Amino acid sequence: MKKIGIIGGLGPEATIDYYKEIIHYFNVKNTTGGNVYPEVVIYSVDMWKFVGYLGNNQNEKAINYIVERVKSLEKAGVDFAILSANTPHLLFAEIQQQVSIPLISIVEACAREALSLGIKKCGLIGTQFTMKNDFYQKVFQGYDIEIVVPNPEQIEYINQKVFNEIELGIFKDDTKNAFLEILSKMKNEQQIEAVILGCTEFPLMFTEDSYMEMPFLNTTKIHVDAVLKECLSDD
């Protein structure tokens, strides 16, 4: 099996979830035979430093910060790596250009999943960096799938809850219900057919596969599935 590299800490709760999902696969779904686990190297970074760079429009510093950590994973002998969060994928192409090992994109994996489900219009929630930028839109356009985001007031509310609660491991029913209300309005007013949980902590709050008769695309699980296919591939 290939050795997996993970840039974690963006945030810590999601990193734990990634590792648990990988181990769960080999406990439950593994068809290779025997009690085996892949080798995994995790570099947990300082989320607040990275977010600070983005918030101050210092994208070059943000890119360099992640690139240097991916290069550390290269030195540790990993065969490929992932960024275990949606927000850093804003800079995915720039990071990939500066490292030697392949990176598995959470956005590409999610687009392929949406395509397989026959979805044509997705609502997207995440950090303000994810909702206000167009890196999801650019990838999904290639699959003829439209991306819709909340209105500016709703974006501000969701972002505030992400960084003041969810990234800290705080999951409140009131917050969950408020998010569902926003998404219900998007379904009724903008006819979204599915929701992309564009923050890898969201699946810790939205634990079901669907709500309001819409698929909620768990980007952590989708990403892990892509990682495991790569881990077990012969390429």
Side-chain angles (χ1 to χ4, degrees):
M1 289 186 289
K2 296 178 182 177
K3 186 184 292 188
I4 303 167
I6 299 176
I7 296 295
L10 299 165
E13 295 291 335
T15 307
I16 295 167
D17 199 29
Y18 266 82
Y19 185 74
K20 288 171 63 178
E21 284 287 338
I22 291 169
I23 298 306
H24 175 74
Y25 175 90
F26 282 89
N27 282 338
V28 176
K29 303 178 184 176
N30 180 31
T31 58
T32 61
N35 296 318
V36 295
Y37 294 104
E39 294 186 20
V40 182
V41 181
I42 300 174
Y43 195 130
S44 187
V45 305
D46 183 345
M47 176 182 70
W48 300 112
K49 179 180 287 189
F50 177 77
V51 170
Y53 288 144
L54 292 183
N56 291 318
N57 295 315
Q58 296 175 305
N59 282 8
E60 197 62 34
K61 286 187 176 181
I63 292 166
N64 291 338
Y65 183 64
I66 299 299
V67 165
E68 290 306 311
R69 277 70 192 167
V70 175
K71 288 182 177 179
S72 293
L73 293 177
E74 290 179 0
K75 292 176 183 177
V78 306
D79 296 294
F80 67 96
I82 60 168
L83 312 175
S84 64
N86 286 266
T87 297
H89 284 71
L90 166 65
L91 308 169
F92 184 86
E94 293 87 343
I95 295 168
Q96 179 66 89
Q97 288 172 0
Q98 297 184 44
V99 299
S100 299
I101 56 175
L103 303 177
I104 307 298
S105 166
I106 199 171
V107 185
E108 286 283 353
C110 189
R112 291 193 296 269
E113 178 68 13
L115 181 68
S116 74
L117 295 173
I119 296 165
K120 303 299 290 183
K121 194 172 190 179
C122 286
L124 170 66
I125 56 172
T127 67
Q128 64 176 344
F129 305 109
T130 296
M131 292 184 285
K132 288 184 175 181
N133 286 282
D134 63 355
F135 61 97
Y136 254 93
Q137 286 84 342
K138 286 179 178 178
V139 172
F140 274 62
Q141 281 174 0
Y143 293 86
D144 196 27
I145 301 171
E146 183 179 355
I147 294 290
V148 177
V149 298
N151 65 41
E153 181 180 344
Q154 293 166 340
I155 287 175
E156 183 178 350
Y157 173 80
I158 292 170
N159 187 72
Q160 186 264 335
K161 291 297 183 180
V162 167
F163 287 111
N164 291 340
E165 295 177 15
I166 296 168
E167 291 287 4
L168 304 178
I170 300 169
F171 303 98
K172 297 181 178 179
D173 287 340
D174 287 348
T175 300
K176 178 179 179 178
N177 291 335
F179 282 19
L180 287 172
E181 184 177 346
I182 289 170
L183 294 167
S184 177
K185 289 180 180 178
M186 292 176 68
K187 179 182 180 182
N188 293 331
E189 297 173 5
Q190 297 170 283
Q191 290 77 52
I192 62 171
E193 302 167 17
V195 174
I196 299 168
L197 298 176
C199 171
T200 48
E201 273 76 27
F202 284 169
L204 301 174
M205 182 165 65
F206 296 105
T207 56
E208 302 296 327
D209 292 334
S210 64
Y211 294 83
M212 301 175 294
E213 299 182 344
M214 286 193 300
F216 273 45
L217 303 181
N218 179 339
T219 53
T220 299
K221 186 178 183 302
I222 291 167
H223 206 193
V224 167
D225 286 346
V227 166
L228 292 169
K229 287 177 183 177
E230 181 66 22
C231 176
L232 296 170
S233 74
D234 295 327
D235 297 338

